[in-house]
Amino acid sequence: MAGQAAASRNVMANPGAWLGVLGGGQLGRMFCQSAQAMGYRVMVLDPAQSSPAGMVADAHLCAAYDDAAALDQLAAQCVAITTEFENVPADSLRRLAMSCRTTPSGDAVAVAQDRTVEKSWLQAAQVPVAPHAAVLQMADLDTCPDALFPGILKTACLGYDGKGQVRVQTRAQAHAAFKALKGVACVLEALQPLDYEISVVVARGLDGRTVTYPPSRNSHRDGILALSVVDGSVPATVADQARQYALRVADHLDYHGILCVEFFILQDGSVIANEIAPRPHNSGHYTQDGCLVSQFEQQARIMAGLPLGVTDTLCPVAMLNLLGNLWFDAQGAQREPDWAGVLEIPGTRLHLYAKTEARLGRKMGHINIIGATASQLRARIGRVCSVLGLPDA
Ligand code: ATP
Ligand code: MG
């Protein structure tokens, strides 16, 4: 098709051109800001009247993600389109790709939308995953191997921040959990003996060239990412293995754009993939201040057909998530976190997403922290946590 040929042509789009993004959340906002810093204009499609990305975009199309007229308008205006939201309908991306460069493709995003499909793709790319079984009906829990217990029953689609997951010790508990999840398609995964967790952000250009960022070491609180640190503490063998696996996944998917692969490092030192995100990732926000070229600038460069940027960290760096909880005191009264106290600490930068309402567990922003050494970084993280009243992460 002529449209498809045009869409896949590897031509460079000069600054001033329009880039499009599906989704108006914080990832879209930070993408807009990076693209705009290079002189591109950004059009956001998001159904909400007001959104973090919508309020900084050069234009906002307020429409549903499957609104054909809005998608066609986006494709007509933009030289390239991306998504910041992995649950955007894959068919919307496929429609856009008929007439406009679309990165990533609807097919690649569809893989990440279903944990069962995702795991089989990871295995096909020869990347190890935890033992698991698809659970589509109650009977699947009777036939799955004993080795999957204790395990975690996860909904196959639409889970995030640990939502839609139940830890189960026995088959009987798994039956009850599947019922509680209303019988939606699930995956039962064997509980792994984790030592720690890391993730790797890959950028893969239109020409198939790739770069990977150094793995960040991630810690979670209440199922939500709390802190990502890149301070050289991941052993080189583990980091190299994870980067190789992430590249394999990107190549296997013939991926164009930014992709993040989350990994578990087991107590025996082995590296297994947990899941992939077809977009910039929360654990990659450190790249905004710890690298010359952030994951968001990389996303814009790929869309525009520009060369990929360097990914080395400039110094030890960390990213601390700011959840809505910080906007409430112990009595539940609203308050403003002590920004001056945080920014007084050398090496800190504040990134807020301009969300109008703080809610418990809602990602409101993050703080990037750099240090000249790993120990200076560690001390600064401790000081930031203490000013914010967080347990030392
Ligand atoms: P997010 O949106 O933060 O990526 P999610 O809802 O997609 O989360 P997962 O990444 O699958 O969920 O799991 C969330 C966390 O639960 C993991 O980061 C890990 O700490 C823990 N976890 C998940 N699966 C396993 C497992 N098989 N064994 C041990 N721990 C696990
Ligand atoms: Mg995860």
Side-chain angles (χ1 to χ4, degrees):
M1 259 162 100
Q4 273 171 331
S8 64
R9 263 207 318 262
N10 188 3
V11 289
M12 187 194 140
N14 279 317
W18 285 83
L19 304 178
V21 57
L22 297 181
Q26 63 262 24
L27 301 175
R29 176 185 178 89
M30 292 182 275
F31 164 75
C32 283
Q33 291 166 335
S34 285
Q36 288 166 338
M38 290 195 294
Y40 291 94
R41 286 180 284 178
V42 184
M43 183 177 270
V44 167
L45 189 156
D46 185 276
Q49 284 287 347
S50 171
S51 64
M55 68 177 79
V56 300
D58 297 278
H60 171 214
L61 282 176
C62 188
Y65 294 123
D66 58 357
D67 182 320
L71 291 168
D72 292 348
Q73 193 185 336
L74 188 68
Q77 180 77 33
C78 297
V79 295
I81 298 167
T82 189
T83 180
E84 61 109 45
F85 172 55
E86 71 212 48
N87 289 316
V88 74
D91 278 341
S92 296
L93 293 168
R94 293 184 183 112
R95 182 185 183 97
L96 292 167
M98 303 285 278
S99 61
C100 189
R101 178 184 294 164
T102 303
T103 68
S105 69
D107 290 351
V109 171
V111 169
Q113 287 176 342
D114 184 319
R115 286 186 195 275
T116 316
V117 179
E118 180 178 80
K119 283 194 183 349
S120 46
W121 271 81
L122 287 165
Q123 287 176 302
Q126 308 209 309
V127 174
V129 298
H132 64 279
V135 181
L136 304 177
Q137 53 196 7
M138 212 46 108
D140 295 329
L141 286 170
D142 300 321
T143 51
C144 68
D146 288 341
L148 298 184
F149 297 96
I152 306 186
L153 190 68
K154 302 180 177 181
T155 56
C157 301
L158 299 174
Y160 69 99
D161 289 347
K163 293 183 176 64
Q165 300 198 6
V166 188
R167 292 192 177 216
V168 293
Q169 296 296 323
T170 60
R171 260 177 228 280
Q173 284 182 6
H175 281 129
F178 187 60
K179 208 167 153 192
L181 292 170
K182 303 199 166 61
V184 297
C186 285
V187 175
L188 176 64
E189 246 178 75
L191 192 68
Q192 299 296 290
L194 305 193
D195 188 0
Y196 56 96
E197 298 183 51
I198 65 173
S199 49
V200 174
V201 173
V202 189
R204 190 168 184 275
L206 302 174
D207 57 4
R209 282 191 205 175
T210 45
V211 289
T212 57
Y213 283 98
S216 63
R217 193 165 171 149
N218 306 323
S219 33
H220 300 78
R221 199 171 303 123
D222 301 328
I224 304 174
L225 180 68
L227 180 75
S228 292
V229 180
V230 186
D231 64 352
S233 64
V234 176
T237 48
V238 169
D240 291 347
Q241 180 73 85
R243 289 172 100 152
Q244 284 308 319
Y245 285 158
L247 285 174
R248 248 187 241 173
V249 176
D251 284 338
H252 192 70
L253 288 169
D254 192 18
Y255 195 85
H256 296 133
I258 303 295
L259 173 83
C260 178
V261 187
E262 297 176 10
F263 294 97
F264 296 148
I265 314 305
L266 306 188
Q267 282 156 15
D268 66 3
S270 55
V271 179
I272 66 173
N274 172 30
E275 59 175 352
I276 62 183
R279 50 170 174 75
H281 195 259
N282 193 168
S283 66
H285 293 354
Y286 79 83
T287 61
Q288 293 173 308
D289 297 301
C291 300
L292 193 62
V293 178
S294 74
Q295 58 174 349
F296 302 105
E297 179 174 331
Q298 217 74 268
Q299 186 179 21
R301 287 187 185 213
I302 293 167
M303 294 169 74
L306 290 168
L308 297 173
V310 292
T311 54
D312 305 315
T313 44
L314 303 168
C315 57
V317 56
M319 186 281 324
L320 180 75
N321 260 343
L322 301 171
L323 300 184
N325 310 40
L326 291 173
W327 275 253
F328 297 92
D329 68 16
Q331 283 70 46
Q334 276 226 274
R335 63 165 184 202
E336 190 70 21
D338 179 6
W339 303 129
V342 168
L343 294 178
E344 207 167 42
I345 300 164
T348 55
R349 287 197 75 218
L350 177 64
H351 300 260
L352 286 178
Y353 313 143
K355 293 184 182 176
T356 44
E357 192 197 346
R359 291 196 294 266
L360 298 182
R362 190 177 199 200
K363 290 175 180 169
M364 303 296 288
H366 62 275
I367 291 171
N368 283 338
I369 309 165
I370 63 163
T373 60
S375 61
Q376 185 180 62
L377 174 63
R378 198 35 74 187
R380 288 176 177 176
I381 295 170
R383 285 175 68 189
V384 171
C385 289
S386 138
V387 168
L388 292 173
L390 289 169
D392 197 348

